[in-house]
Amino acid sequence: MPLDLILMGPPGAGKGTQAKILSRRLGIPHVASGDLFRDHLHRQTPLGQLARQYMDRGELVPDDVTIGMIRERLEQPDCRDGVILDGFPRTPAQARALDEMLSEMGRSLVAALYIRVREELLLRRLAGRWTCRTCGAVYHIEFNPPRIPGQCDLDGGALYQREDDTEEVQRRRIQVYQEQTAPLVSFYRDRGLLVEIDGEQPIPEVTAALLQAIEIRRTTDP
Ligand code: ADP
Ligand code: ADP
């Protein structure tokens, strides 16, 4: 059975950081809706131009556009053995669409991994976030600095700060999360899929907790 996982949690919880590590460890792709939108933006596609208006304000891109983009990505051959979804689903309609997409493919979610971090820590994490221009690896100026300032450890790419990582937009993203995405925690809890992980531990401890939870879900999955 394919290993289909979602990583949930507020902006700054560490979803992208952990998804990249898990992807390497588990050998399944990291599918991040934010990265897919940023790629469209960079290539200046019509979808990218549309998404920008929402991203710049910290609002959610409309469901139909987002769902279509993810559907297309999940149909790619590299997603055959499973995926780590990061940043999707973010609304109840997206969650229902994901259920449908997977069931059409004869698949189902193995776990919804919820990385819990208190709100007061999130802004500090987002304010110090630096991302590699070429591979998307994520660093933190204080909590996870690169070996050479301004350079990615993995490929030497230049590090940049995301345009939507201004304090005003960060605050709005956190608010939008509380209003529209937080309800998904009970959605997945009711389905018996939710696993809560303490995201305030150091990065390697969070990874270990996630891997352990995945292993348990995998072996108890019918
Ligand atoms: P998300 O994808 O959930 O928005 P990121 O993975 O981009 O979160 O992480 C946000 C920021 O916090 C990054 O700068 C990252 O280096 C840092 N970070 C991630 N996990 C931890 C952790 N466990 N402890 C301290 N800082 C972390
Ligand atoms: P963060 O790492 O701070 O959680 P993301 O990279 O996941 O941020 O998302 C950046 C922006 O992309 C969001 O503020 C939103 O505008 C858009 N976006 C990403 N995923 C979704 C989604 N599933 N539904 C709607 N909009 C999304």
Side-chain angles (χ1 to χ4, degrees):
M1 190 70 176
L3 185 57
D4 293 315
L5 303 166
I6 61 181
L7 280 182
M8 296 173 55
K15 302 180 297 295
T17 300
Q18 296 297 334
K20 286 212 157 48
I21 303 171
L22 294 178
S23 167
R24 274 198 302 275
R25 298 280 280 269
L26 301 169
I28 50 177
H30 168 205
V31 172
S33 41
D35 289 351
L36 294 173
F37 283 130
R38 277 185 289 278
D39 182 52
H40 275 279
L41 228 135
H42 186 68
R43 291 189 285 122
Q44 301 187 332
T45 68
L47 196 157
Q49 271 148 14
L50 179 120
R52 161 163 249 150
Q53 304 163 34
Y54 297 91
M55 297 173 82
D56 282 350
R57 289 183 282 126
E59 305 290 337
L60 296 185
V61 179
D63 280 337
D64 53 342
V65 177
T66 307
I67 291 165
M69 179 181 74
I70 291 290
R71 178 186 291 277
E72 211 171 275
R73 181 68 189 88
L74 292 184
E75 286 166 354
Q76 300 300 309
D78 65 322
C79 294
R80 208 179 29 224
D81 297 332
V83 283
I84 302 166
L85 283 165
D86 157 16
F88 182 93
R90 256 176 158 98
T91 63
Q94 292 180 13
R96 288 191 299 271
L98 177 63
D99 267 357
E100 273 169 36
M101 276 182 239
L102 291 175
S103 85
E104 278 166 26
M105 294 190 251
R107 296 158 62 157
S108 62
L109 276 182
V110 172
L113 303 155
Y114 170 43
I115 307 181
R116 211 163 9 87
V117 173
R118 274 168 304 157
E119 197 165 330
E120 54 262 42
L121 287 180
L122 300 174
L123 284 175
R124 251 180 95 190
R125 287 202 181 173
L126 294 171
R129 170 160 73 183
W130 288 78
T131 307
C132 174
R133 182 78 69 189
T134 39
C135 76
V138 181
Y139 297 87
H140 191 280
I141 198 84
E142 192 184 337
F143 307 135
N144 182 29
R147 280 195 296 269
I148 302 169
Q151 255 188 47
C152 178
D153 290 354
L154 304 176
D155 62 8
L159 303 185
Y160 78 106
Q161 284 203 294
R162 274 170 42 179
E163 271 180 41
D164 62 344
D165 270 346
T166 62
E167 192 177 332
E168 190 196 342
V169 182
Q170 286 162 0
R171 284 188 192 280
R172 182 62 191 144
R173 293 213 306 277
I174 294 170
Q175 199 181 10
V176 166
Y177 170 83
Q178 296 300 358
E179 291 166 6
Q180 305 192 48
T181 310
L184 294 186
V185 170
S186 47
F187 177 94
Y188 287 112
R189 188 181 287 125
D190 292 347
R191 283 166 175 68
L193 288 169
L194 195 80
V195 182
E196 290 190 45
I197 304 287
D198 173 8
E200 296 184 11
Q201 311 171 82
I203 293 170
E205 271 86 334
V206 178
T207 307
L210 286 166
L211 283 170
Q212 193 183 20
I214 293 165
E215 206 41 54
I216 292 170
R217 294 287 322 184
R218 212 178 190 176
T219 47
T220 55
D221 209 36

